[in-house]
Amino acid sequence: MGRPNTGKSSLYNRVTGGSARVGNFPGITVDVLEATVELEGSKGALRVVDLPGLYSFDSELDADTDEGAARAFIEREQRDNAPFAVLQVLDATQLSLSLRLTKELLGQASRVALVLTQSDVLASEGRTCDVAALSKAVGVEVIAVSSREASTRDAVIALAQRVLDGPARELSAGTFDPEQVARAVLSDTATVDEQQRKRREFTERLDRWLLHRTLGPALFVLTMVLLFGAVFLVAEPASGAMDATTKWLGAKLSPRLGGGYLASFVTDGIIGGAGTVLAFLPQIVVLTIALELLDASGYLARGVFLIDRLLRVFGLGGKAFVPLLTAHACAVPAIRATRILRDPRERLVTLLVLPLMTCSARLPTYSLLISTFFAHRGALFQATVFVSLFAAGVLSGAVASAVLRKTVVRGRPLPLVLEMPAYRAPEPAFVRKATARGVRNFLSDVGTTIVAASAVLWVLLNVPMPGAAVDPSLQNAPAAVVRVNRSVAASFGRALEPVTRFAGFDWRINVGLVGSFGARELMVGTLGVIHGLEDVGDDPTPLRAQLRAARTADGRPRYDTRTALSLMVFFIFACQCMSTVAALRRETRSWRWPLFVLAYTYVVAFVAAAIVYNVAGWFSR
């Protein structure tokens, strides 16, 4: 265990060969991870546990946060009297801060040892730590290691064995002064060359620019813009390739299955749902790698510091920036990331506004609507609309958090507790493992739900509603269009029309919205099925033409610019994802807050869409 940024998870990975997420931002490890390490000979095995970062045992903590989980784990193990040892990881470059936690830990656990990391960084700066003197001052054994060295594994395992085999201490908090001990054991080496002196001053020099009052926020925003640009630039070709692969597989399987309902269910319902998952996987991978690199380098912590003052205006703190940013890829991992927030009120508010962020699953719908109804406006205008949709999501989240802080979740937010870590070079192996872990989480948490939702949606779109009549105007229409018009989903969409027409939505859009609750990206595919089109993902041009050419019974356009504006506004606010709802249920351990999110987002979404539709109608007269 240890404070955030001490290299705790890097050490865990070195000792166990595990894949704990490694970062350089407070609270980056939001799970209690464990692994079994076999000892040499017949000495059995060690159960090694990596606890989330912990600042203090004395402060009031929410049990569901990472700090609360770490403290509760140690207290439970000590209470159960099982043989266990606590190895506290200390950052040699910020020794006094870690020693404050050591004083409290000595009163909580009877078997304790200290593992000093970043000794190589300390040496590169021309400084050294007297490990023997530190051990004597604190009263427990201390070793100095580097997580980058293979020998560290054996040294840490041997230390754990010595502490477990040794006598238990009486529980008593330390009486030493952390600052005095740090000053006493840290010293300059006999010769400090100019290169070491410059390296020691590197972080300070860089922070003069990156933390500048005016330049710092501008550079951080530019970094984030470039990051998201890279996500879409790099991920788009890979997404297209995966989508084409699933469609090729479906085309190969369909004849073997007879080409009937079973073939359609397997290819469109099951494989089509899997294709949706795989098409968005590259975006998740690229975004995860980018955030891990920023995280491990120490720059993400600076971004939190820069953004804290702005978020305070809306009742949130700088740490909320991490889950809010992650939500632009997918809300499910963002909801898990809220465990880094120490303040339970701030965490709850963040959970309640995360669905308002513009996740990548909304992009296909935005792209279809913009390219269909704003194509004549030019590329610059379309790009402006696209950026405005992202900005509207961020603004709506900010306003919602400010309102929630004054109504549903009242209370003064806790101040930001943050250390500025030294800049470090990310370790490729740990970034790779963290990315693989993020992919596994996405596939298990989101992928299974999307596939299941696709299968259910196929049934709703293909099973006829008992007593549903065939529209005479569809006599020459494709069989798929006839099936959809008689389906259960179409009947449900028509039942909603008396209400949704105030926002410009007909039953076809209603069916698409129902499908998008399973996964937002299913909206485009559903509209394609309703209009009798296949492979919309390969080329949405036919669907664009169908939407532009659609007419009502009296010959007026069925959809127009204000319909597009209304639908995009609805997508900004509505929580249209059952995976998000399930994740909220898991984190809050109650249906109260997920149902509250569904209620307030859908009410706001429909009211806003209706207002936009009618106001736009006044201007078009």
Side-chain angles (χ1 to χ4, degrees):
M1 58 85 68
R3 290 171 65 91
N5 293 325
T6 56
K8 172 181 57 62
S9 295
S10 296
L11 189 65
Y12 171 86
N13 275 334
R14 173 61 66 187
V15 172
T16 66
S19 57
R21 186 178 181 188
V22 179
N24 203 17
F25 172 78
I28 203 66
T29 306
V30 295
D31 291 317
V32 176
L33 303 171
E34 64 177 75
T36 300
V37 176
E38 297 293 334
L39 301 177
E40 294 182 359
S42 57
K43 296 181 180 179
L46 287 177
R47 173 184 172 225
V48 183
V49 180
D50 174 30
L51 296 181
L54 175 65
Y55 284 105
S56 172
F57 283 92
D58 295 338
S59 60
E60 294 185 9
L61 296 174
D62 183 350
D64 291 331
T65 61
D66 54 354
E67 285 191 80
R71 188 171 71 181
F73 186 94
I74 293 176
E75 291 173 348
R76 182 177 65 251
E77 292 292 324
Q78 183 66 32
R79 186 172 58 249
D80 291 346
N81 294 319
F84 87 107
V86 179
L87 304 187
Q88 184 193 348
V89 182
L90 297 83
D91 184 348
T93 63
Q94 302 199 39
L95 186 57
S96 62
L97 294 174
S98 292
L99 288 175
R100 295 176 189 175
L101 179 60
T102 306
K103 286 187 64 174
E104 300 175 9
L105 174 62
L106 294 176
Q108 299 290 329
S110 56
R111 287 183 169 87
V112 176
L114 307 183
V115 180
L116 198 67
T117 61
Q118 308 300 331
S119 297
D120 52 340
V121 177
L122 198 69
S124 69
E125 296 175 352
R127 292 189 292 169
T128 185
C129 177
D130 190 335
V131 175
L134 177 60
S135 177
K136 183 177 180 181
V138 177
V140 297
E141 186 175 356
V142 183
I143 65 170
V145 300
S146 170
S147 298
R148 297 175 184 267
E149 297 177 1
S151 60
T152 294
R153 180 181 185 276
D154 293 337
V156 173
I157 291 175
L159 174 65
Q161 289 182 273
R162 289 195 299 272
V163 178
L164 285 169
D165 294 339
R169 300 172 41 261
E170 291 291 331
L171 293 180
S172 177
T175 57
F176 56 87
D177 182 89
E179 284 76 15
Q180 288 183 359
V181 172
R183 285 196 298 268
V185 301
L186 293 175
S187 61
D188 288 342
T189 54
T191 59
V192 180
D193 59 31
E194 187 63 23
Q195 184 178 2
Q196 290 174 325
R197 198 180 304 279
K198 288 182 178 180
R199 189 177 290 113
R200 186 186 300 184
E201 299 171 354
F202 174 75
T203 296
E204 182 180 347
R205 293 200 313 273
L206 200 55
D207 278 346
R208 290 174 190 168
W209 295 94
L210 297 182
L211 295 181
H212 188 274
R213 186 178 185 87
T214 304
L215 185 60
L219 289 174
F220 184 67
V221 170
L222 178 61
T223 302
M224 293 297 105
V225 170
L226 293 175
L227 185 153
F228 280 100
V231 168
F232 296 115
L233 180 65
V234 176
E236 185 65 27
S239 296
M242 287 192 171
D243 190 48
T245 301
T246 55
K247 285 184 168 51
W248 174 83
L249 179 61
K252 289 291 184 182
L253 283 177
S254 182
R256 296 177 180 271
L257 296 173
Y261 273 93
L262 176 61
S264 178
F265 176 74
V266 173
T267 58
D268 299 329
I270 304 300
I271 297 179
T276 300
V277 176
L278 294 177
F280 281 91
L281 192 59
Q283 295 181 7
I284 300 298
V285 171
V286 175
L287 183 60
T288 302
I289 292 174
L291 288 177
E292 288 291 338
L293 293 174
L294 289 176
D295 194 356
S297 68
Y299 185 51
L300 196 56
R302 269 85 178 166
V304 168
F305 172 76
L306 292 169
I307 212 73
D308 180 71
R309 183 179 301 174
L310 175 61
L311 291 182
R312 290 287 166 188
V313 177
F314 303 101
L316 298 174
K319 288 186 180 180
F321 174 76
V322 174
L324 290 173
L325 179 64
T326 306
H328 284 83
C330 181
V332 174
I335 289 170
R336 290 171 59 85
T338 60
R339 299 179 196 175
I340 70 174
L341 303 177
R342 307 178 77 215
D343 184 350
R345 294 187 185 91
E346 182 183 353
R347 181 172 185 247
L348 179 57
V349 171
T350 306
L351 285 170
L352 297 181
V353 303
L354 280 176
L356 297 173
M357 299 299 103
T358 304
C359 71
S360 58
R362 288 178 167 99
L363 302 185
T365 301
Y366 288 163
S367 178
L368 172 67
L369 295 174
I370 292 172
S371 61
T372 300
F373 297 101
F374 298 97
H376 62 288
R377 296 283 189 142
L380 181 60
F381 183 87
Q382 294 181 57
T384 302
V385 174
F386 201 83
V387 172
S388 299
L389 293 171
F390 272 92
V394 174
L395 180 61
S396 63
V399 173
S401 63
V403 172
L404 290 170
R405 269 298 194 178
K406 296 182 182 297
T407 55
V408 180
V409 191
R410 297 181 180 179
R412 190 174 182 179
L414 295 177
L416 177 67
V417 179
L418 181 68
E419 301 151 16
M420 290 300 174
Y423 291 100
R424 299 163 186 164
E427 296 188 47
F430 293 146
V431 172
R432 185 180 66 251
K433 290 178 180 179
T435 303
R437 186 162 172 250
V439 169
R440 287 196 300 270
N441 289 338
F442 174 76
L443 292 176
S444 61
D445 290 342
V446 182
T448 52
T449 303
I450 291 178
V451 173
S454 298
V456 172
L457 181 62
W458 183 94
V459 173
L460 294 177
L461 286 170
N462 286 272
V463 173
M465 187 73 176
V470 179
D471 189 342
S473 64
L474 299 177
Q475 290 182 354
N476 298 322
V481 176
V482 176
R483 284 201 306 268
V484 169
N485 274 264
R486 297 183 59 203
S487 67
V488 174
S491 299
F492 182 72
R494 290 189 179 97
L496 294 176
E497 263 192 343
V499 176
T500 61
R501 66 186 178 188
F502 292 104
F505 301 161
D506 65 355
W507 70 267
R508 299 164 185 82
I509 293 179
N510 293 341
V511 173
L513 292 177
V514 171
S516 69
F517 183 71
R520 294 183 183 97
E521 55 268 28
L522 294 179
M523 180 73 182
V524 174
T526 304
L527 290 176
V529 172
I530 291 173
H531 287 84
L533 302 172
E534 297 180 357
D535 298 331
V536 173
D538 291 340
D539 182 10
T541 301
L543 180 56
R544 294 172 191 161
Q546 287 266 20
L547 294 177
R548 283 193 293 263
R551 293 291 185 270
T552 60
D554 57 3
R556 291 181 301 168
R558 184 182 295 156
Y559 312 112
D560 54 17
T561 302
R562 60 179 186 154
T563 309
L565 291 172
S566 173
L567 187 54
M568 286 189 291
V569 167
F570 187 91
F571 258 70
I572 289 173
F573 296 107
C575 177
Q576 302 163 260
C577 179
M578 64 174 63
S579 297
T580 300
V581 176
L584 287 171
R585 167 67 179 84
R586 183 183 62 234
E587 291 299 317
T588 61
R589 301 180 183 179
S590 167
W591 278 110
R592 173 189 176 188
W593 295 115
L595 293 177
F596 173 78
V597 168
L598 284 175
Y600 98 80
T601 58
Y602 269 88
V603 168
V604 171
F606 181 74
V607 171
I611 291 173
V612 168
Y613 181 76
N614 288 280
V615 170
W618 296 340
F619 284 100
S620 62
R621 289 173 184 171

